[in-house]
Structure formats: structure tokens, C-alpha cells
Amino acid sequence: MQQSTYTSPLDKLNDEALLEQFRQGNTLAFEELYKRFWGVLYLQAYHILIHEEDAQDIVQEVFTALWTKAANINLSGSLAAYLYATTRNRVLNMLASKRTYRHHLSSLKQSLSDIDNNSLQYITEKEITARMEREIRALPAKMREVFELSRKTALTHREIAHQLQLSQETVKKQISNAIRTLRHKMAHFSFFC
């Protein structure tokens, strides 16, 4: 049984002649170029990208560009050299694009992380400060007055005692009690935060 091997007259044409045939409207010439070059261009792209779908996409883009721009292609060498160079350039562009994307993604993640951490720190500091102010306001009146004078002014214990007409010992004791009370209250608050 003899096997039928039909050969198209286009099989005998060189690459540049096929391109010229395609430029003149012969879509079969394009199909012949596709059959000749798809495999080798795919291997070239895959060898660099090591990713089947990306390599297929690149080759598809090369042939799409050939289809749409065939009339404007001026070959300084062979069509094969042109297709190889086009494939290589598209591969390099894809790699650069992915590298840039990863760089931007990494920068964005870092920025968001910094913003989140700074915001969290700001919110936490703000919450702690607000809670501390509430706890100070909740202290008994005389204790609060002594504590606030000791923390918010540059007065010494002696000056506070003189201003409030208290003994220095009473001022020390009030400040010590206020600190102990606030430390206890804030420990509970930080535990729940």
C-alpha cells in the first residue's frame, strides 16, 4: 500500500518567497511559514522562559505580528533571522516585564506593610494615650492633681507640696499610689489589646 504524500508547490519556495507570496494575499504561504517556524521558535522561547504557555504566547504574538505587519517588514537578512530576533526580543520584554512587575509588587507589599505597621503603631499609641488619660481622670481628685503636677509640669515634690499645702511625704505617697494604680489598670488594658 503506497502512502500518499501530497506536497504543495509552496513547499519548494524559500522563506523570503513565501513571505512575498503572503504579502500578495496568499494565506497558504503564511500557513507554510507557520509550519516551518512554529516549532523552532517555540523551542527558542521555551529554552529561555522554561514555561510552556508563555513560550506559546510569545510565538503566537510573533506570528500575529507577521500576519498584521508583513507588508511593512523590510528584511536586511533572512526571514528566519528576523523571526528569531523578534522572538528573542519578545522573550526579553516578557522577562523584563515580569521582573518589573515582581519588583513593583514587592515594593507595594513593603509599602503596605510599612503603612499597616505605622498605622497600627499610631493607633495603638493613640489608644494607649487615650486610655491613660481616662485612667488619670478616674483617679481620686487630690491624687490626680498631685500626679498631673508631677508629670505635666517641671515642679519638684517640694514645690508641689508648697503649692497644694501638703507635706512632701504626702506628695510622694500620692504619686506612688497613682503610679501603682495606673500600672495595674494599664496592664489589664494591654493584656486585652
mmCIF file of all heavy atoms in Angstrom, residues 15-16 37 41 44 75-89:
data_model
loop_
_atom_site.group_PDB
_atom_site.id
_atom_site.type_symbol
_atom_site.label_atom_id
_atom_site.label_comp_id
_atom_site.label_asym_id
_atom_site.label_seq_id
_atom_site.Cartn_x
_atom_site.Cartn_y
_atom_site.Cartn_z
ATOM 1 N N ASP A 15 11.936 30.830 2.266
ATOM 2 C CA ASP A 15 11.179 31.612 3.248
ATOM 3 C C ASP A 15 10.802 33.000 2.726
ATOM 4 O O ASP A 15 9.673 33.457 2.910
ATOM 5 C CB ASP A 15 11.986 31.760 4.540
ATOM 6 C CG ASP A 15 12.383 30.425 5.129
ATOM 7 O OD1 ASP A 15 11.671 29.428 4.890
ATOM 8 O OD2 ASP A 15 13.422 30.370 5.831
ATOM 9 N N GLU A 16 11.743 33.650 2.095
ATOM 10 C CA GLU A 16 11.501 35.000 1.611
ATOM 11 C C GLU A 16 10.463 35.008 0.490
ATOM 12 O O GLU A 16 9.622 35.907 0.408
ATOM 13 C CB GLU A 16 12.809 35.648 1.145
ATOM 14 C CG GLU A 16 13.794 35.954 2.268
ATOM 15 C CD GLU A 16 14.471 34.729 2.867
ATOM 16 O OE1 GLU A 16 14.562 33.676 2.203
ATOM 17 O OE2 GLU A 16 14.904 34.817 4.035
ATOM 18 N N PHE A 37 8.252 27.396 10.987
ATOM 19 C CA PHE A 37 8.934 28.102 12.071
ATOM 20 C C PHE A 37 8.327 27.937 13.461
ATOM 21 O O PHE A 37 8.998 28.214 14.448
ATOM 22 C CB PHE A 37 9.033 29.602 11.748
ATOM 23 C CG PHE A 37 10.033 29.893 10.679
ATOM 24 C CD1 PHE A 37 9.617 30.151 9.380
ATOM 25 C CD2 PHE A 37 11.387 29.894 10.957
ATOM 26 C CE1 PHE A 37 10.532 30.411 8.395
ATOM 27 C CE2 PHE A 37 12.315 30.157 9.971
ATOM 28 C CZ PHE A 37 11.886 30.407 8.686
ATOM 29 N N LEU A 41 10.762 28.269 16.836
ATOM 30 C CA LEU A 41 10.575 29.496 17.616
ATOM 31 C C LEU A 41 10.066 29.165 19.024
ATOM 32 O O LEU A 41 10.485 29.778 20.009
ATOM 33 C CB LEU A 41 9.613 30.456 16.911
ATOM 34 C CG LEU A 41 10.096 31.002 15.562
ATOM 35 C CD1 LEU A 41 9.032 31.905 14.946
ATOM 36 C CD2 LEU A 41 11.426 31.729 15.688
ATOM 37 N N GLN A 44 12.982 27.962 21.028
ATOM 38 C CA GLN A 44 13.839 29.095 21.384
ATOM 39 C C GLN A 44 13.235 29.829 22.589
ATOM 40 O O GLN A 44 13.944 30.123 23.555
ATOM 41 C CB GLN A 44 13.969 30.058 20.199
ATOM 42 C CG GLN A 44 14.809 31.284 20.515
ATOM 43 C CD GLN A 44 14.753 32.333 19.412
ATOM 44 O OE1 GLN A 44 13.989 32.230 18.462
ATOM 45 N NE2 GLN A 44 15.582 33.355 19.547
ATOM 46 N N LEU A 75 13.327 43.204 5.326
ATOM 47 C CA LEU A 75 14.357 42.271 5.774
ATOM 48 C C LEU A 75 15.734 42.746 5.352
ATOM 49 O O LEU A 75 15.971 43.056 4.196
ATOM 50 C CB LEU A 75 14.092 40.882 5.183
ATOM 51 C CG LEU A 75 12.784 40.203 5.582
ATOM 52 C CD1 LEU A 75 12.637 38.874 4.848
ATOM 53 C CD2 LEU A 75 12.729 39.990 7.075
ATOM 54 N N SER A 76 16.632 42.795 6.321
ATOM 55 C CA SER A 76 18.023 43.099 5.988
ATOM 56 C C SER A 76 18.812 41.799 5.867
ATOM 57 O O SER A 76 19.923 41.792 5.360
ATOM 58 C CB SER A 76 18.650 43.996 7.049
ATOM 59 O OG SER A 76 18.573 43.382 8.310
ATOM 60 N N GLY A 77 18.212 40.726 6.348
ATOM 61 C CA GLY A 77 18.811 39.402 6.252
ATOM 62 C C GLY A 77 17.721 38.420 5.873
ATOM 63 O O GLY A 77 16.796 38.755 5.146
ATOM 64 N N SER A 78 17.817 37.241 6.426
ATOM 65 C CA SER A 78 16.820 36.220 6.114
ATOM 66 C C SER A 78 15.567 36.394 6.987
ATOM 67 O O SER A 78 15.617 37.018 8.045
ATOM 68 C CB SER A 78 17.415 34.827 6.344
ATOM 69 O OG SER A 78 17.611 34.619 7.730
ATOM 70 N N LEU A 79 14.467 35.823 6.519
ATOM 71 C CA LEU A 79 13.237 35.826 7.308
ATOM 72 C C LEU A 79 13.453 35.049 8.600
ATOM 73 O O LEU A 79 12.969 35.452 9.659
ATOM 74 C CB LEU A 79 12.070 35.224 6.515
ATOM 75 C CG LEU A 79 10.742 35.139 7.264
ATOM 76 C CD1 LEU A 79 10.228 36.521 7.655
ATOM 77 C CD2 LEU A 79 9.697 34.395 6.447
ATOM 78 N N ALA A 80 14.203 33.970 8.542
ATOM 79 C CA ALA A 80 14.476 33.163 9.734
ATOM 80 C C ALA A 80 15.178 34.015 10.795
ATOM 81 O O ALA A 80 14.793 34.006 11.968
ATOM 82 C CB ALA A 80 15.327 31.951 9.371
ATOM 83 N N ALA A 81 16.191 34.786 10.387
ATOM 84 C CA ALA A 81 16.916 35.643 11.329
ATOM 85 C C ALA A 81 15.971 36.680 11.932
ATOM 86 O O ALA A 81 16.019 36.960 13.137
ATOM 87 C CB ALA A 81 18.084 36.324 10.631
ATOM 88 N N TYR A 82 15.086 37.229 11.096
ATOM 89 C CA TYR A 82 14.119 38.218 11.562
ATOM 90 C C TYR A 82 13.182 37.592 12.614
ATOM 91 O O TYR A 82 12.937 38.169 13.672
ATOM 92 C CB TYR A 82 13.309 38.764 10.389
ATOM 93 C CG TYR A 82 12.150 39.619 10.802
ATOM 94 C CD1 TYR A 82 12.329 40.961 11.137
ATOM 95 C CD2 TYR A 82 10.858 39.081 10.895
ATOM 96 C CE1 TYR A 82 11.264 41.743 11.542
ATOM 97 C CE2 TYR A 82 9.783 39.857 11.301
ATOM 98 C CZ TYR A 82 9.990 41.182 11.619
ATOM 99 O OH TYR A 82 8.935 41.956 12.027
ATOM 100 N N LEU A 83 12.664 36.404 12.329
ATOM 101 C CA LEU A 83 11.745 35.736 13.259
ATOM 102 C C LEU A 83 12.436 35.348 14.566
ATOM 103 O O LEU A 83 11.866 35.485 15.648
ATOM 104 C CB LEU A 83 11.111 34.513 12.601
ATOM 105 C CG LEU A 83 10.144 34.815 11.449
ATOM 106 C CD1 LEU A 83 9.709 33.515 10.765
ATOM 107 C CD2 LEU A 83 8.943 35.605 11.927
ATOM 108 N N TYR A 84 13.691 34.873 14.469
ATOM 109 C CA TYR A 84 14.444 34.528 15.678
ATOM 110 C C TYR A 84 14.672 35.774 16.538
ATOM 111 O O TYR A 84 14.505 35.749 17.756
ATOM 112 C CB TYR A 84 15.790 33.879 15.341
ATOM 113 C CG TYR A 84 15.694 32.502 14.744
ATOM 114 C CD1 TYR A 84 16.477 32.150 13.658
ATOM 115 C CD2 TYR A 84 14.828 31.540 15.261
ATOM 116 C CE1 TYR A 84 16.398 30.879 13.088
ATOM 117 C CE2 TYR A 84 14.745 30.273 14.703
ATOM 118 C CZ TYR A 84 15.529 29.954 13.617
ATOM 119 O OH TYR A 84 15.449 28.700 13.069
ATOM 120 N N ALA A 85 15.071 36.873 15.885
ATOM 121 C CA ALA A 85 15.335 38.114 16.621
ATOM 122 C C ALA A 85 14.050 38.650 17.258
ATOM 123 O O ALA A 85 14.047 39.092 18.414
ATOM 124 C CB ALA A 85 15.940 39.162 15.698
ATOM 125 N N THR A 86 12.952 38.584 16.527
ATOM 126 C CA THR A 86 11.668 39.042 17.054
ATOM 127 C C THR A 86 11.261 38.212 18.265
ATOM 128 O O THR A 86 10.809 38.743 19.287
ATOM 129 C CB THR A 86 10.579 38.981 15.969
ATOM 130 O OG1 THR A 86 10.989 39.776 14.851
ATOM 131 C CG2 THR A 86 9.251 39.490 16.471
ATOM 132 N N THR A 87 11.435 36.904 18.159
ATOM 133 C CA THR A 87 11.097 36.007 19.278
ATOM 134 C C THR A 87 11.964 36.325 20.482
ATOM 135 O O THR A 87 11.467 36.463 21.607
ATOM 136 C CB THR A 87 11.261 34.535 18.856
ATOM 137 O OG1 THR A 87 10.420 34.284 17.733
ATOM 138 C CG2 THR A 87 10.909 33.587 19.989
ATOM 139 N N ARG A 88 13.268 36.444 20.251
ATOM 140 C CA ARG A 88 14.196 36.753 21.350
ATOM 141 C C ARG A 88 13.799 38.074 22.028
ATOM 142 O O ARG A 88 13.748 38.159 23.253
ATOM 143 C CB ARG A 88 15.628 36.838 20.831
ATOM 144 C CG ARG A 88 16.648 37.109 21.952
ATOM 145 C CD ARG A 88 18.009 37.528 21.429
ATOM 146 N NE ARG A 88 17.876 38.818 20.779
ATOM 147 C CZ ARG A 88 18.283 39.094 19.529
ATOM 148 N NH1 ARG A 88 18.868 38.167 18.806
ATOM 149 N NH2 ARG A 88 18.106 40.288 19.008
ATOM 150 N N ASN A 89 13.501 39.091 21.231
ATOM 151 C CA ASN A 89 13.142 40.396 21.797
ATOM 152 C C ASN A 89 11.854 40.314 22.613
ATOM 153 O O ASN A 89 11.739 40.924 23.679
ATOM 154 C CB ASN A 89 13.007 41.443 20.696
ATOM 155 C CG ASN A 89 14.358 41.784 20.080
ATOM 156 O OD1 ASN A 89 15.401 41.541 20.677
ATOM 157 N ND2 ASN A 89 14.333 42.323 18.881
#
